[in-house]
């Protein structure tokens, strides 16, 4: 085995979990003497970290694999990893012979040895074992990072009918609390001010290791880390939002009053067909309780329309819920029929045009709601984190109530010279459908 100062390039697709995995892999390779390249043309090893969650993501991943294959030539090694190659390993080996190695999401420990070996490696030779605990790993953070994701667990124990994630990523495995805190400290030392906490189901954290969910305790420990100013919670399921968690969020200034709760639907008929753990009433009660106990809480959610068996009255109930509850941040997806999921064999499939029309109806309704909620912010002062420096004292940032690259932005002016990651007070002067305008005060 040799490292021979090889250079590598990673093309990452999909969600923040894939970004995280790529950062871990980069650290492992750099620890063995390799150099991270910022262009595929100059790299010896090309790595595509794929997404395979829904059809559009699969198509995008395959397009990226072929574009890398076109650059490969005689000397480069091409590796495909991530969700797509975990899910469709055998098919991909047959269909894309240009790829030297296919590995899945649980094979990152084996991958560096294979990449740096001088021996020929068969494309289908890798299959790692799923450990019981998610271990601590070093990561390579992008230069000048001030916001970063912190993955506290891997896998999922839920059996949602539309989702292939448990098959792809395996059962839920938490990272030990001391390892999560250690990682947060390292991130803070490297300039990270905002932690975005992720897992497949964040509220489940600790059940596998400690016998009960301990997300509140983890948050209390993370709040003690010097240098971290904002802590943002993503992927918190309705059935895991306890009074203790609400109290922890409400009583700690570092924890953003922002919660991402993927509810998917509100109709009991659809929720039960989806095999969700929530009911329409439990979701409504959770929203009410959050807003009563954390008055300025901003809730983000995602909804899935056009699920098999979704009746017109189910959709109308969802539409009425959106109209009535006025959700702060909302994304809507049309159902994607994925082989290997329980929903693939359900009856009551809906035509594409109906699914898309239902998605569009909710998003059109949400545009007006978002603008109405934004207008209420005019005249108020908010903490804003700078994301982009533009010309002549103009900046783009976001409030505590907005996740980076997902939610709303604030365009503002300042008489000072600011840098990405700076947190300033901005008075809002104008409001639009999704963005705000203001000036530093």
């Amino acid at each position: 085995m040799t490292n021979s100062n090889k250079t590598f390039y990673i093309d990452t697709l999909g969600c923040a979990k894939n970004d995280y995995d790529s950062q871990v892999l980069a650290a492992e390779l750099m620890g063995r003497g390799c150099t991270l390249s910022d262009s595929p043309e100059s790299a010896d090893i090309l790595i595509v970290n794929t997404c395979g969650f829904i059809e559009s993501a699969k198509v995008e991943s395959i397009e990226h694999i072929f574009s890398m294959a076109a650059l490969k030539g005689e000397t480069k090694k091409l590796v495909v990893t991530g969700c797509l190659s975990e899910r469709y390993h055998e098919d991909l080996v047959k269909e894309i012979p240009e790829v030297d190695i296919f590995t899945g999401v649980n094979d990152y420990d084996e991958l560096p040895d294979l990449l740096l070996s001088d021996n020929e490696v068969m494309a289908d030779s890798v299959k790692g074992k799923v450990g019981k605990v998610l271990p601590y790993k070093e990561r390579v953070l992008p230069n000048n990072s001030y916001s970063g994701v912190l993955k506290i667990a891997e896998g999922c124990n839920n059996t949602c009918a539309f989702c292939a994630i448990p098959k792809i990523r395996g059962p839920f495995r938490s990272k030990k609390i001391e390892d999560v805190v250690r990682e947060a400290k390292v991130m803070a030392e490297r300039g990270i001010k905002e932690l975005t906490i992720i897992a497949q189901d964040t509220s489940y954290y600790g059940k596998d290791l400690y016998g009960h969910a301990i997300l509140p305790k983890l948050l209390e420990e993370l709040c003690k880390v010097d240098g971290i100013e904002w802590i943002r919670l993503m992927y918190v399921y309705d059935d895991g939002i306890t009074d203790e968690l609400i109290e922890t969020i409400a009583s700690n200034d570092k924890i953003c009053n922002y919660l991402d709760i993927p509810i998917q639907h509100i109709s009991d008929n659809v929720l039960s067909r989806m095999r969700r753990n929530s009911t329409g009433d439990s979701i409504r009660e959770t929203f009410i309780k959050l807003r009563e106990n954390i008055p300025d809480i901003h809730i983000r959610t995602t909804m899935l329309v056009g699920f098999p068996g979704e009746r017109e009255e189910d959709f109308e109930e969802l539409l009425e819920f959106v109209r009535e509850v006025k959700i702060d941040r909302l994304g809507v997806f049309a159902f994607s029929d994925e082989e290997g999921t329980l929903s693939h064999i359900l009856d009551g499939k809906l035509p594409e045009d109906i699914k898309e029309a239902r998605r569009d109806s909710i998003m059109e309704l949400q545009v007006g709601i978002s603008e109405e909620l934004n207008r209420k912010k005019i005249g108020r002062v908010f903490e804003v984190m700078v994301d982009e420096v533009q010309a002549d004292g103009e900046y783009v940032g976001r409030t505590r109530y907005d996740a980076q690259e997902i939610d709303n932005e604030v365009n503002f002016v300042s008489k000072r010279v600011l840098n990405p990651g700076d947190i300033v007070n901005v008075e809002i002067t104008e409001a639009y459908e999704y963005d705000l305008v203001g000036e530093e005060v």
Side-chain angles (χ1 to χ4, degrees):
M1 181 175 306
T2 176
N3 63 40
S4 62
N5 297 321
K6 288 179 178 173
T7 58
F8 66 97
Y9 174 82
I10 306 183
D11 180 13
T12 305
L13 301 154
C15 66
K17 300 175 194 77
N18 275 9
D19 287 330
Y20 190 98
D21 292 340
S22 291
Q23 291 166 5
V24 169
L25 180 58
E28 181 73 30
L29 290 169
M30 288 169 76
R32 300 193 188 199
C34 295
T35 304
L36 177 59
S37 171
D38 57 7
S39 80
E41 289 81 5
S42 62
D44 305 308
I45 301 168
L46 306 175
I47 302 166
V48 185
N49 190 353
T50 59
C51 178
F53 185 51
I54 56 175
E55 188 61 32
S56 58
K58 289 186 276 190
V59 170
E60 185 186 16
S61 290
I62 288 167
E63 285 171 355
H64 279 246
I65 294 168
F66 280 122
S67 69
M68 286 294 172
L71 290 173
K72 184 185 165 190
E74 295 296 313
T75 57
K76 298 181 193 292
K77 194 178 270 189
L78 176 57
V79 183
V80 174
T81 186
C83 293
L84 188 79
S85 60
E86 179 77 40
R87 192 171 175 190
Y88 299 105
H89 196 95
E90 290 174 13
D91 294 340
L92 291 169
V93 169
K94 285 184 204 141
E95 297 294 328
I96 316 181
E98 297 92 331
V99 175
D100 297 293
I101 306 172
F102 282 104
T103 68
V105 295
N106 301 306
D107 309 328
Y108 291 108
D109 289 347
E110 286 82 4
L111 191 49
D113 284 345
L114 291 167
L115 286 176
L116 304 179
S117 168
D118 287 330
N119 302 323
E120 282 297 309
V121 179
M122 297 298 290
D124 58 351
S125 64
V126 185
K127 214 71 205 138
K129 293 189 181 69
V130 176
K132 287 221 166 108
V133 179
L134 196 64
Y136 174 84
K137 297 273 190 180
E138 289 292 330
R139 288 159 64 196
V140 173
L141 295 169
N143 291 334
N144 306 315
S145 294
Y146 52 89
S147 176
V149 297
L150 180 52
K151 184 160 76 170
I152 62 173
E154 179 60 278
C156 189
N157 286 359
N158 294 316
T159 56
C160 302
F162 53 82
C163 184
I165 294 293
K167 280 191 172 180
I168 295 171
R169 290 190 172 261
F172 196 96
R173 288 102 69 205
S174 298
K175 201 178 281 179
K176 288 179 183 168
I177 200 164
E178 57 268 30
D179 284 343
V180 179
V181 173
R182 174 185 170 194
E183 194 168 339
K185 286 177 177 173
V186 170
M187 291 172 75
E189 284 162 10
R190 292 179 187 168
I192 298 290
K193 295 180 179 180
E194 176 185 36
L195 287 182
T196 300
I197 308 299
I198 62 168
Q200 221 50 60
D201 174 358
T202 315
S203 44
Y204 197 91
Y205 173 74
K207 278 190 190 178
D208 55 319
L209 277 185
Y210 304 105
H212 60 282
I214 59 162
L215 182 59
K217 177 171 170 47
L218 174 65
L219 290 171
E220 296 277 3
E221 292 303 313
L222 291 174
C223 285
K224 297 173 189 171
V225 177
D226 290 337
I228 300 298
E229 300 193 38
W230 291 4
I231 298 173
R232 186 178 305 285
L233 278 173
M234 306 293 282
Y235 318 123
V236 184
Y237 281 47
D238 159 60
D239 59 319
I241 299 174
T242 59
D243 291 348
E244 184 189 8
L245 179 59
I246 293 171
E247 167 60 25
T248 303
I249 295 169
S251 58
N252 285 283
D253 286 341
K254 283 189 180 185
I255 304 173
C256 297
N257 290 346
Y258 169 105
L259 213 49
D260 173 89
I261 313 167
I263 63 169
Q264 309 307 348
H265 218 282
I266 200 68
S267 156
D268 285 341
N269 171 51
V270 179
L271 288 167
S272 65
R273 285 177 71 85
M274 286 179 169
R275 299 185 61 159
R276 300 287 285 178
N277 295 327
S278 302
T279 63
D281 283 348
S282 76
I283 291 166
R284 289 182 179 94
E285 285 161 15
T286 297
F287 277 46
I288 290 167
K289 192 184 278 191
L290 282 165
R291 286 172 168 174
E292 283 177 351
N293 290 280
I294 313 171
D296 65 336
I297 185 89
H298 280 52
I299 297 170
R300 153 164 275 286
T301 193
T302 44
M303 293 174 177
L304 182 61
V305 295
F307 190 79
E310 181 188 60
R311 304 164 306 196
E312 187 64 41
E313 58 260 43
D314 298 321
F315 176 67
E316 287 298 331
E317 184 181 353
L318 186 61
L319 210 54
E320 183 53 37
F321 175 75
V322 173
R323 196 176 285 122
E324 173 195 324
V325 174
K326 298 193 193 313
I327 297 160
D328 305 276
R329 311 282 183 257
L330 175 63
V332 185
F333 297 91
F335 171 71
S336 175
D337 194 9
E338 296 296 313
E339 65 268 31
T341 62
L342 291 164
S343 57
H344 192 57
I345 56 171
L346 287 178
D347 56 7
K349 300 270 172 69
L350 298 174
E352 288 301 318
D353 59 337
I354 289 180
K355 294 191 287 188
E356 287 167 16
R358 288 180 178 180
R359 177 195 62 205
D360 294 347
S361 293
I362 294 186
M363 286 315 298
E364 281 166 25
L365 175 60
Q366 181 62 21
V367 166
I369 290 168
S370 180
E371 185 171 359
E372 178 192 333
L373 295 174
N374 272 352
R375 289 198 172 284
K376 291 180 180 173
K377 294 184 165 79
I378 294 174
R380 294 179 60 194
V381 175
F382 293 94
E383 270 193 332
V384 170
M385 182 176 284
V386 178
D387 282 328
E388 289 175 41
V389 177
Q390 299 188 314
D392 303 325
E394 294 181 3
Y395 299 90
V396 179
R398 64 205 150 79
T399 69
R400 281 173 166 264
Y401 311 115
D402 298 286
Q404 193 174 34
E405 295 178 1
I406 297 175
D407 295 319
N408 301 0
E409 292 180 339
V410 182
N411 297 281
F412 71 98
V413 292
S414 172
K415 292 178 177 150
R416 298 189 296 150
V417 175
L418 302 174
N419 296 304
D422 287 348
I423 298 173
V424 296
N425 288 320
V426 173
E427 182 177 349
I428 304 306
T429 56
E430 297 172 55
Y432 298 95
E433 291 166 358
Y434 289 113
D435 296 331
L436 301 167
V437 175
E439 51 193 49
E440 188 193 356
V441 293

